[in-house]
Amino acid sequence: GENVEQHPSTLSVQEGDSAVIKCTYSDSASNYFPWYKQELGKGPQLIIDIRSNVGEKKDQRIAVTLNKTAKHFSLHITETQPEDSAVYFCAASMWERDDKIIFGKGTRLHILP
Amino acid sequence: NAGVTQTPKFRILKIGQSMTLQCTQDMNHNYMYWYRQDPGMGLKLIYYSVGAGITDKGEVPNGYNVSRSTTEDFPLRLELAAPSQTSVYFCASIMDRSGNTIYFGEGSWLTVV
């Protein structure tokens, strides 16, 4: 089955700097890669996603890149702000084959003042 | 629109006791999931359902049972609770395989002592 590795487990960046979180996946058939943000005491919420027919997707300060050959994808947050502090999860799935989404272990992002 | 609602929010169980975590969604979603989140371990899939009357095992089903008698409800049953089941449990739902947003509940904090 699919296995998703996420790095780093913890990341601290100065406010205003950029943050990058990386994930790798094992199943080359996976074709849907969402990213979730989880604030303290809340459930995860989708912030951006990308499909395998696209190499990059942007939404304001957030972008995701996908390298299918290397089987890795990354989340980029620019001009970080205090409200970006949270736990971020990557995930992978292959909807046409099965009904499961497999998550990485998460990255705790701290934005330093 | 309530989205995905989980109850209870917090619960302390004694070893060997049983309980049911309730999950209901009002979005008429076909797919529902139960995840557990352990510290530093990300989200692990326990059970999922693709529609009323259909359930299937995820990555870590042992010690749990589910049922899906209606589209709205997907309760998770813990039989003979063990300390290893101390975790945060999240219910989630999605309309179908077309890659729509997964909606998570707020979580249920369970401690087994």
Side-chain angles (χ1 to χ4, degrees):
Chain A
E2 176 65 274
N3 183 49
V4 177
E5 298 286 338
Q6 183 172 347
H7 300 280
S9 57
T10 305
L11 178 62
S12 297
V13 300
Q14 211 68 39
E15 183 178 348
D17 288 349
S18 296
V20 180
I21 303 170
K22 299 181 178 181
C23 288
T24 60
Y25 59 100
S26 60
D27 191 341
S28 57
S30 290
N31 59 6
Y32 176 64
F33 307 93
W35 285 88
Y36 290 84
K37 177 182 181 182
Q38 185 180 25
E39 297 177 339
L40 193 63
K42 302 284 188 180
Q45 287 195 312
L46 180 74
I47 54 172
I48 195 168
D49 57 11
I50 192 168
R51 299 179 191 278
S52 59
N53 58 349
V54 175
E56 184 176 4
K57 183 177 179 180
K58 288 184 180 180
D59 183 3
Q60 298 181 357
R61 297 186 296 108
I62 295 173
V64 57
T65 58
L66 172 64
N67 183 326
K68 284 187 63 180
T69 304
K71 291 189 285 187
H72 67 70
F73 55 113
S74 300
L75 177 71
H76 304 253
I77 306 174
T78 59
E79 301 173 10
T80 53
Q81 300 170 4
E83 54 265 34
D84 295 329
S85 292
V87 178
Y88 292 81
F89 292 97
C90 63
S93 73
M94 198 285 175
W95 282 115
E96 287 78 8
R97 182 188 61 203
D98 61 40
D99 305 301
K100 295 178 284 189
I101 291 184
I102 303 300
F103 286 82
K105 292 184 177 181
T107 296
R108 184 171 297 278
L109 176 63
H110 299 277
I111 305 302
L112 306 172
Chain B
N1 190 345
V4 179
T5 303
Q6 290 181 234
T7 57
K9 184 83 169 179
F10 301 96
R11 182 73 186 268
I12 297 175
L13 273 183
K14 293 184 178 179
I15 294 172
Q17 285 185 320
S18 300
M19 74 160 297
T20 299
L21 298 177
Q22 302 291 343
C23 176
T24 187
Q25 50 91 9
D26 61 359
M27 298 172 283
N28 201 32
H29 284 175
N30 294 313
Y31 292 60
M32 295 187 74
Y33 302 84
W34 272 107
Y35 288 90
R36 60 178 286 172
Q37 184 177 28
D38 301 323
M41 296 300 291
L43 293 158
K44 291 292 187 182
L45 181 63
I46 305 171
Y47 269 96
Y48 66 103
S49 168
V50 301
I54 306 170
T55 63
D56 212 340
K57 295 178 180 179
E59 303 168 88
V60 289
N62 292 343
Y64 307 94
N65 275 301
V66 293
S67 60
R68 186 90 184 274
S69 57
T70 66
T71 299
E72 295 78 19
D73 301 305
F74 190 41
L76 177 71
R77 178 81 178 164
L78 280 73
E79 303 282 3
L80 299 175
S84 61
Q85 293 177 303
T86 294
S87 189
V88 183
Y89 292 84
F90 288 99
C91 180
S93 73
I94 190 170
M95 174 59 77
D96 54 32
R97 284 180 170 182
S98 63
N100 292 322
T101 300
I102 284 187
Y103 291 88
F104 281 86
E106 295 281 287
S108 295
W109 273 253
L110 177 67
T111 301
V112 181
V113 295

